[in-house]
Amino acid sequence: PPAVDLEILRTIGEAILELIQKGLLTAVHDVADGGLAVALAEMALVGNLGATLDFDAMNAGHTEVLFGEPQVAFVVTTSEANTATVWQRLRNNCGVLGTTGGDALKIVVNDRIKSQIEIPLATLRAAHEGAFPAIMAAAT
């Protein structure tokens, strides 16, 4: 596993805590267990709200970003009215990934051609809630 920079973790953690205490964040989720794709799916299911992730804003490989498990990475959401304040507080440690809204999780990839993966929340929910019963049924 990669080394954890405890100083950066503390800096980001304190900044996120401050933003939570001020009521400026609407959601926070770490990406250390499953990566960004899992964190976004879990957040979408809990909030019953879709999101669009745009890879144009990122400087990394898609697989690395979606499924890498960095120990010091979080997804935060905020209202449009608070975006500038949140950005100002986290500017050295964050980037904009996309927007929330709708009833699907969308991932837009712009490599040589523009493509989009779109998973309706109902499909995510069925897979999430049906996985354990399916495993148990297969075991009998």
Side-chain angles (χ1 to χ4, degrees), residues 60-138:
H62 306 140
T63 303
E64 176 187 344
V65 171
L66 287 173
F67 301 106
E69 296 180 331
Q71 300 302 303
V72 185
F74 300 87
V75 175
V76 300
T77 61
T78 189
S79 68
E80 192 170 337
N82 293 326
T83 300
T85 303
V86 170
W87 179 259
Q88 180 66 26
R89 181 65 178 94
L90 297 174
R91 72 179 175 272
N92 294 326
N93 297 303
C94 75
V96 176
L97 300 176
T99 58
T100 58
D103 61 355
L105 183 56
K106 300 174 189 173
I107 301 170
V108 179
V109 178
N110 290 313
D111 278 337
R112 286 174 236 111
I113 59 169
K114 185 172 185 171
S115 59
Q116 177 174 300
I117 300 164
E118 184 171 340
I119 306 167
L121 293 183
T123 302
L124 277 176
R125 190 168 309 287
H128 179 71
E129 294 175 357
F132 189 70
I135 291 168
M136 295 308 292

